[in-house]
Amino acid sequence: MEEFLDVMERDAVGSREEPGCLRFDVIQDQSNPCKFFFYEVYIDIDAVLFHKEQTHFALWTDFKASGGVVANTSHKCDGIFMSE
């Protein structure tokens, strides 16, 4: 768990500094402390592609590739009513 939290903190902090990242939250499930949700919002697809080229994102993909993640589900959404 410690390695996961370290990787995600570094990814979240780095992502928040990207010009196209509007939000990057890491949320822990209250009933299952080993389950996390990431809430990421980017200006557009170019910002997402830029994000995926960053070294802090590579930390996350490397961690997943090492077997550090049991399951991973991603949902792509369009913003309707967004806060500024």
Side-chain angles (χ1 to χ4, degrees), residues 38-55:
F38 309 147
Y39 182 68
E40 305 174 49
V41 180
Y42 296 90
I43 288 176
D44 55 24
I45 191 64
D46 290 333
V48 172
L49 296 174
F50 177 82
H51 169 68
K52 291 182 176 185
E53 295 173 350
Q54 305 310 300
T55 55

Side-chain angles (χ1 to χ4, degrees), residues 8-84:
M8 285 318 305
E9 180 179 18
R10 293 164 64 191
D11 189 20
V13 169
S15 298
R16 291 175 188 146
E17 294 175 0
E18 296 170 20
C21 180
L22 301 176
R23 185 168 199 98
F24 194 111
D25 297 332
V26 179
I27 303 165
Q28 186 176 31
D29 190 297
Q30 291 182 352
S31 63
N32 180 353
C34 293
K35 187 173 187 177
F36 293 84
F37 301 92
F38 309 147
Y39 182 68
E40 305 174 49
V41 180
Y42 296 90
I43 288 176
D44 55 24
I45 191 64
D46 290 333
V48 172
L49 296 174
F50 177 82
H51 169 68
K52 291 182 176 185
E53 295 173 350
Q54 305 310 300
T55 55
H56 53 265
F57 180 77
L59 295 171
W60 167 240
T61 57
D62 291 347
F63 181 79
K64 286 194 306 183
S66 76
V69 176
V70 174
N72 183 46
T73 302
S74 178
H75 299 278
K76 312 294 190 270
C77 303
D78 293 319
I80 304 299
F81 299 109
M82 305 292 294
S83 59
E84 293 183 36

